[in-house]
Amino acid sequence: IMIKMNKIRKDFLDICDSDEILEIDSILNRVNRFGLIVEVVHAALEQVKSNPNTSPLLALQIASKDWDC
């Protein structure tokens, strides 16, 4: 039986081994150790909201630096 996968999941699985995803994982693990994952993710989302051309990785990099993680 073939299960139809939604586009978001398929797109993610297509890039899940990329350096970008590995770096995002590294940042999230680091900020989680500081107990600041919610704060950093919120700051990253605000960054993307104010700057729509910002990539998810760049937004997380900026946010984690802002929170000294």
Side-chain angles (χ1 to χ4, degrees):
I1 297 176
M2 186 132 180
I3 298 173
K4 184 177 177 185
M5 191 178 313
N6 72 34
K7 181 175 176 10
I8 292 172
R9 184 175 291 179
K10 182 186 177 312
D11 290 348
F12 178 79
L13 291 175
D14 287 344
I15 64 162
C16 70
D17 289 332
S18 74
D19 290 340
E20 182 177 355
I21 295 301
L22 297 175
E23 181 64 22
I24 288 171
D25 183 56
S26 175
I27 291 169
L28 291 175
N29 283 326
R30 187 173 64 245
V31 300
N32 191 44
R33 287 193 304 270
F34 283 95
L36 293 169
I37 196 157
V38 171
E39 293 85 348
V40 170
V41 168
H42 180 268
L45 290 170
E46 288 292 325
Q47 176 69 31
V48 171
K49 183 178 172 183
S50 67
N51 250 325
N53 292 328
T54 304
S55 72
L57 174 57
L58 180 57
L60 284 169
Q61 289 169 329
I62 292 168
S64 65
K65 191 165 239 21
D66 287 348
W67 279 92
D68 296 324
C69 299

